[in-house]
Amino acid sequence: MIEVRDLTKFYGQRCAVDHVSFSVEEGEIVGFLGPNGAGKTTTLRILTCYMPATSGAASVAGHDVFTESLAVRQAIGYLPENVPMYTDMRVREYLNFRGKLRGLEKSARDAGIKRVAEQCWLGDFIERPIQQLSKGMRQRVGLADALLHDPKVLILDEPTVGLDPAQIRETRTLIKDLARRHTVILSSHILPEVEATCQRTIIIAGGKIVASGTPEQLKDRIRGGSRLIAEIHGPTSDVAGGVEKVNGVKHVAHTSNNGWVRLTIDTDKNADPREDIVKMSVQKGWRLREIRLEVGSLEEFFVQITAQQQMRDADRRRGTARPQEGAQA
Amino acid sequence: MKNVVALTQREFTTYIYSPIAYLTAFAFLVLTGILFTQNTLLPGEESSVRPLFFAMGSLFVFCVPILTMRLLSEEYASGTIETLMTAPVTDWEVILSKFLGVFLFYTGLVVLTVIHLLIIAIFGQIDVGVTLVAYLGLLLLGAFYASVGLFASACTRYQLLASVIGVGLLAILTFVTDFLSLQFPGARAVLGKVNVRGQFDVFCRGIFDTTSLIYFLSLTVFFLFLATKVLESKRWR
Ligand SMILES: Nc1ncnc2c1ncn2[C@@H]1O[C@H](COP(=O)(O)OP(=O)(O)OP(=O)(O)O)[C@@H](O)[C@H]1O
Ligand SMILES: [Mg+2]
């Protein structure tokens, strides 16, 4: 449904998107996650034909965004980041106008407005001038506008910013429902949001894709940095030394308290030595009251990426280039 | 075509509700009224429509850019250009509709000046044929001014700057060439041909001249074309 190949965008000298490639299948919900200035909005603006890329190619619903721009624009519903709209119009009037631009006939417009008014809860303020609406209400009008012509592809730039918690939940449910018949790509800085709504996440930082996959895949990939926590009753040095020799254990740190040794165990990538540790302590007659895997959270991973990007940005400002570290995902 | 209708309708409606448009229209009507009573409506003066139309033409140099300044600058500044340009409409449709929207409002304004003509008709005779041709001239002049104003608005997100560019361009095209042709009689033949006032005067005298008609129409299309190119270039940045 969406194909992006080697997309690059320069604003003057500044590279905002750097050889980005990805694809989104029909009916998928994909989350575009990244810190401020990562290039999310820029990528989405290229996909919606608002601005052309410097190089690379992108197609939406089978149409090239550059050569078949009108067909792409007909096939998408777009919610821009700042939700700009004509504030002198009333909500219904605005939606009617937008429907005309998408080529909807009168009856289709009326039906469409009725539908989106329900989906986006515009009931209370559909007759009011947009000027008088709160940020969250406008956000809902913007979403309604994007849905009006029942587009194949929805491109939503931070769809839940400015909504109250109840609305956020409703919006997530709405987006999930939509994904049955539409393809959705949405951007966010907030990881739990993407985890809650999207089947697949693309993490972007500094204009580059640093990781992508389902939340489970991403977690698997960062398990390399995960740890075991165990508490075993026994002679401190024996316990620590014994555990260190177990297959797959890289490093052990320990503290002891009343004969209980608390171990923090770094493991090799993809190794899970929990069973071996349990067996060993049974053989030696040590008592074991806790053992658990501490999976590195996606949140940590994301924060780490963000921090790295900020460091690189700071370096760039100082004029000393640091080699691209990327996240070790 | 449907897009043009929808966009034009929205543009025109904005003028209907815009205080600035009304202030401009009001100022225009008051000023033409004053000029009219001081020049034309004097005992013994010939009851010709020519000075009145000429004065209106000059006032529009200032009024039209104020009407057109918001057309695109406002869209750039408020960000609505993003929703507009990601809807399935072409750049040319956008420009044409903006132009038609302001031109319709302008036409309404011009129609209101019929009041002055009626007063002349009470006190003397007016030549209906001459008046109609002069009105045609005024509409053509307005179309040209609106296209220049729209071009100026396409250039910048600042409405004030857009109006300054618009007035500046129109002043060069009307007053400056007029002034130069007075200063350099040698170049008068050429300058008179390219001069907006010279061409407009043809209509004010009641002469229907296809050269002048083509002059205004082609300049209008040219500036609309330029505006489209500028709008297009705003995507590449
Ligand atoms: N119109 C513009 N002109 C120049 N530079 C721009 C422009 N828009 C964005 N940039 C730059 O491009 C980079 C990417 O910006 P972009 O808006 O795509 O980030 P983002 O991921 O959407 O960030 P946020 O989460 O803050 O919305 C930033 O460094 C930004 O400064
Ligand atoms: Mg953004």
Side-chain angles (χ1 to χ4, degrees), chain A residues 153-206:
Chain A
V153 179
L154 278 171
I155 298 182
L156 312 174
D157 202 349
E158 300 183 20
T160 57
V161 165
L163 297 181
D164 62 50
Q167 293 295 347
I168 289 180
R169 212 162 57 208
E170 297 280 341
T171 307
R172 282 182 190 161
T173 318
L174 171 65
I175 292 173
K176 274 191 197 160
D177 283 349
L178 289 171
R180 300 212 187 95
R181 290 185 306 116
H182 308 254
T183 306
V184 185
I185 177 162
L186 63 87
S187 83
S188 175
H189 319 111
I190 308 161
L191 182 98
E193 162 151 320
V194 173
E195 272 186 301
T197 3
C198 302
Q199 294 152 357
R200 202 149 60 81
T201 309
I202 295 170
I203 301 183
I204 178 170

Side-chain angles (χ1 to χ4, degrees), chain A residues 86 97 100-101, chain B residues 1-15 67-68 70-72 75 84-85 87-106 143 146-147 150-151 220 223-225 227-228 231:
Chain A
Y86 299 119
F97 166 70
K100 282 187 201 166
L101 290 191
Chain B
M1 200 55 222
K2 274 186 188 159
N3 287 339
V4 175
V5 174
L7 288 166
T8 305
Q9 197 183 359
R10 152 154 166 93
E11 224 47 68
F12 182 68
T13 320
T14 316
Y15 279 112
L67 289 178
T68 54
R70 52 158 287 278
L71 286 173
L72 279 157
E75 304 249 11
L84 182 61
M85 301 312 269
V89 293
T90 62
D91 298 359
W92 170 244
E93 281 172 332
V94 169
I95 292 292
L96 183 63
S97 322
K98 300 249 167 211
F99 169 76
L100 289 176
V102 71
F103 186 66
L104 280 179
F105 187 80
Y106 171 87
S147 70
L150 176 54
F151 162 73
T220 306
F223 273 97
L224 290 181
F225 172 77
T228 314
L231 180 63

Side-chain angles (χ1 to χ4, degrees), chain A residues 9-11 45 48-53 66 70 73-74 76 78 80 84-86 88-89 94 97-98 100-102 105 145, chain B residues 2-3 6-7 9-11 13-14 17 75 78-91 93 98 235-237:
Chain A
K9 173 76 188 177
F10 277 88
Y11 289 109
R45 279 181 168 171
T48 54
C49 312
Y50 180 59
M51 47 170 67
F66 191 66
L70 283 182
R73 289 188 258 166
Q74 185 68 47
I76 57 167
Y78 176 38
M85 46 185 74
Y86 299 119
D88 54 322
M89 290 175 122
Y94 177 70
F97 166 70
R98 299 288 299 172
K100 282 187 201 166
L101 290 191
R102 270 76 164 260
E105 296 300 330
D145 169 32
Chain B
K2 274 186 188 159
N3 287 339
L7 288 166
Q9 197 183 359
R10 152 154 166 93
E11 224 47 68
T13 320
T14 316
Y17 292 112
E75 304 249 11
S78 69
T80 47
I81 191 76
E82 189 167 358
T83 41
L84 182 61
M85 301 312 269
T86 53
V89 293
T90 62
D91 298 359
E93 281 172 332
K98 300 249 167 211
R235 290 172 188 264
W236 299 87
R237 33 165 295 125

Side-chain angles (χ1 to χ4, degrees), chain A residues 27-297:
Chain A
E28 245 188 325
I29 318 184
V30 168
F32 222 48
L33 188 68
N36 289 130
K40 304 182 292 294
T41 300
T42 305
T43 310
L44 298 186
R45 279 181 168 171
I46 295 170
L47 288 179
T48 54
C49 312
Y50 180 59
M51 47 170 67
T54 310
S55 69
S59 72
V60 175
H63 304 286
D64 186 88
V65 291
F66 191 66
T67 56
E68 298 164 285
S69 149
L70 283 182
V72 171
R73 289 188 258 166
Q74 185 68 47
I76 57 167
Y78 176 38
L79 173 70
E81 187 168 23
N82 308 316
V83 204
M85 46 185 74
Y86 299 119
T87 50
D88 54 322
M89 290 175 122
R90 288 168 191 279
V91 176
R92 185 187 293 282
E93 193 188 355
Y94 177 70
L95 291 177
N96 194 42
F97 166 70
R98 299 288 299 172
K100 282 187 201 166
L101 290 191
R102 270 76 164 260
L104 298 182
E105 296 300 330
K106 175 100 178 71
S107 56
R109 285 202 304 273
D110 289 346
I113 292 174
K114 196 158 171 252
R115 193 189 75 242
V116 295
E118 255 167 50
Q119 279 178 324
C120 306
W121 321 278
L122 307 183
D124 317 336
F125 51 86
I126 192 159
E127 306 298 346
R128 278 172 58 188
I130 294 176
Q131 223 153 23
Q132 297 175 4
L133 302 186
S134 72
K135 165 98 172 85
M137 290 169 171
R138 269 191 212 197
Q139 190 84 19
R140 277 144 66 184
V141 176
L143 194 60
D145 169 32
L147 292 171
L148 188 60
H149 56 308
D150 207 16
K152 283 193 197 140
V153 179
L154 278 171
I155 298 182
L156 312 174
D157 202 349
E158 300 183 20
T160 57
V161 165
L163 297 181
D164 62 50
Q167 293 295 347
I168 289 180
R169 212 162 57 208
E170 297 280 341
T171 307
R172 282 182 190 161
T173 318
L174 171 65
I175 292 173
K176 274 191 197 160
D177 283 349
L178 289 171
R180 300 212 187 95
R181 290 185 306 116
H182 308 254
T183 306
V184 185
I185 177 162
L186 63 87
S187 83
S188 175
H189 319 111
I190 308 161
L191 182 98
E193 162 151 320
V194 173
E195 272 186 301
T197 3
C198 302
Q199 294 152 357
R200 202 149 60 81
T201 309
I202 295 170
I203 301 183
I204 178 170
K208 287 190 163 72
I209 293 184
V210 289
S212 83
T214 62
E216 283 69 36
Q217 281 171 342
L218 287 177
K219 275 180 193 153
D220 274 354
R221 289 175 63 183
I222 56 179
R223 188 166 288 168
S226 64
R227 292 178 304 202
L228 294 179
I229 306 290
E231 274 188 44
I232 297 173
H233 193 75
T236 309
S237 54
D238 286 4
V239 172
V243 171
E244 199 142 39
K245 285 195 197 79
V246 173
N247 244 346
V249 171
K250 216 157 60 179
H251 178 256
V252 178
H254 59 86
T255 55
S256 54
N257 186 9
N258 290 339
W260 284 101
V261 187
R262 188 180 171 81
L263 302 147
T264 308
I265 306 157
D266 287 333
T267 65
D268 288 337
K269 201 163 183 162
N270 296 327
D272 188 354
R274 277 178 296 182
E275 270 183 67
D276 293 342
I277 293 172
V278 172
K279 269 189 209 144
M280 185 188 70
S281 43
V282 170
Q283 276 167 12
K284 305 257 173 153
W286 299 330
R287 279 178 290 154
L288 180 130
R289 71 174 180 189
E290 178 180 13
I291 182 156
R292 73 186 148 89
L293 184 64
E294 221 183 40
V295 178
S297 74

Side-chain angles (χ1 to χ4, degrees), chain B residues 96-208:
Chain B
L96 183 63
S97 322
K98 300 249 167 211
F99 169 76
L100 289 176
V102 71
F103 186 66
L104 280 179
F105 187 80
Y106 171 87
T107 306
L109 193 55
V110 165
V111 167
L112 286 180
T113 61
V114 169
I115 299 167
H116 301 322
L117 272 300
L118 287 178
I119 294 172
I120 300 183
I122 292 169
F123 289 94
Q125 290 261 304
I126 59 161
D127 186 323
V128 177
V130 171
T131 309
L132 285 180
V133 173
Y135 266 120
L136 175 67
L138 205 55
L139 288 182
L140 287 169
L141 184 80
F144 164 57
Y145 283 4
S147 70
V148 173
L150 176 54
F151 162 73
S153 186
C155 292
T156 171
R157 55 180 313 188
Y158 303 105
Q159 293 195 32
L160 192 64
L161 186 58
S163 68
V164 170
I165 296 175
V167 172
L169 276 175
L170 289 181
I172 291 171
L173 290 167
T174 54
F175 304 135
V176 176
T177 46
D178 206 26
F179 176 74
L180 286 179
S181 71
L182 290 178
Q183 292 293 307
F184 305 102
R188 191 173 297 169
V190 182
L191 286 169
K193 279 275 181 295
V194 300
N195 182 256
V196 175
R197 293 185 116 188
Q199 299 286 354
F200 179 52
D201 194 38
V202 175
F203 288 97
C204 292
R205 279 183 285 151
I207 302 162
F208 181 79

